[in-house]
Amino acid sequence: MLNNDWDEVLKVVFNSPGFKKFYHIVEEEYQNKTIFPPKDYIFNALKLTPYEKVKVVIVGQDPYHGVGEAHGLSFSVQKGIKVPPSLKNIYKELENDLGITPPDNGDLTKWALQGVLLLNAVLTVEKDKPASHRNLGWERLTDYIIKTLNAKEEPVVFILWGNFAKEKKAFITNPKHYVITSAHPSPFSANNGFFGSKPFSQTNNFLIKNHLAPINWDLKDK
């Protein structure tokens, strides 16, 4: 399904009658409504960041619900699409934290390829209806994903922005890992503790301390 080690890690879920029944509902949604991201991109985060390579997890809520935006990575939009307000604030904090100037696009694929799992808690959404697929069934899969990452021997940084993401903290019990929480980068809440939280330097300091390569957060084409 994913053509990497996630297939083995998640086979107990993918092969379960409950997931198959749920995924049939998802497929019906795609047949009858306009659903994002495009079907081939639903599992993009898992495809781009294999289980063994995960060093950092950034948890989002659900995909962007506008045309052409979502491509299966939390907070990311495809090149050529206007950078959304939350991502603009992420770029602002990145510049304040590490002095990295923002790129001219919102594509975070470079992070994913370095081991940053850009995981939305809910993997699909109906056009123009934010949170429309919340409680449809995706949370059972994404909770399980967090639990499997919690079981990793190698330290992982979990970045949880906003209350929705912070709900996943209950599954992160392994003392080897590092959890960073703050307000959501949305314009409605970024001034309540997101700005100044320095998640990017915190992440790299932790990785270096644990003898792991830091993330190159600079997204600009060299």
Side-chain angles (χ1 to χ4, degrees):
M1 194 168 179
L2 304 172
N3 296 316
N4 63 23
D5 55 3
W6 278 114
D7 284 324
E8 182 65 25
V9 173
L10 299 176
K11 71 178 182 182
V12 66
V13 177
F14 289 153
N15 293 335
S16 68
F19 183 82
K20 288 177 178 175
K21 185 178 177 183
F22 154 71
Y23 200 69
H24 180 68
I25 294 169
V26 173
E27 289 179 320
E28 285 184 337
E29 288 280 299
Y30 272 90
Q31 285 171 13
N32 299 316
K33 299 172 186 174
T34 303
I35 305 297
F36 298 130
K39 201 172 169 191
D40 288 347
Y41 289 161
I42 293 175
F43 298 107
N44 214 15
L46 300 173
K47 288 176 180 177
L48 290 176
T49 314
Y51 177 80
E52 280 303 318
K53 295 279 178 67
V54 176
K55 295 195 283 189
V56 182
V57 184
I58 299 179
V59 178
Q61 296 188 11
D62 62 344
Y64 295 118
H65 51 86
V67 174
E69 294 178 325
H71 63 131
L73 304 177
S74 62
F75 296 102
S76 181
V77 291
Q78 302 191 71
K79 286 180 179 172
I81 298 293
K82 185 181 175 185
V83 177
S86 290
L87 185 52
K88 277 186 181 173
N89 286 338
I90 291 169
Y91 286 169
K92 271 187 199 172
E93 179 60 20
L94 179 60
E95 186 164 14
N96 291 335
D97 187 2
L98 294 175
I100 294 172
T101 53
D104 61 2
N105 65 81
D107 185 355
L108 305 182
T109 299
K110 279 187 181 177
W111 291 356
L113 295 174
Q114 293 180 73
V116 181
L117 181 66
L118 296 163
L119 181 70
N120 278 315
V122 175
L123 300 188
T124 54
V125 70
E126 187 176 346
K127 179 179 182 284
D128 299 331
K129 293 185 179 178
S132 49
H133 282 183
R134 194 173 181 183
N135 299 322
L136 190 70
W138 282 120
E139 291 89 345
R140 289 176 67 185
L141 173 65
T142 56
D143 286 354
Y144 188 80
I145 288 169
I146 298 293
K147 289 173 186 175
T148 65
L149 292 167
N150 180 62
K152 278 186 77 134
E153 283 298 308
E154 201 165 67
V156 175
V157 180
F158 293 86
I159 300 176
L160 310 177
W161 290 325
N163 292 333
F164 191 88
K166 287 175 191 172
E167 290 174 7
K168 301 292 188 194
K169 192 176 180 183
F171 306 120
I172 308 163
T173 56
N174 187 335
K176 290 182 178 179
H177 305 318
Y178 187 56
V179 182
I180 299 169
T181 62
S182 78
H184 194 275
S186 152
F188 300 108
S189 56
N191 288 312
N192 296 332
F194 174 74
F195 289 134
S197 61
K198 299 187 180 298
F200 306 102
S201 59
Q202 280 195 71
T203 294
N204 279 355
N205 291 341
F206 178 80
L207 293 174
I208 291 165
K209 192 174 85 176
N210 285 278
H211 313 292
L212 297 167
I215 304 298
N216 175 10
W217 296 105
D218 194 343
L219 293 158
K220 294 186 296 299
D221 292 324
K222 293 290 187 287

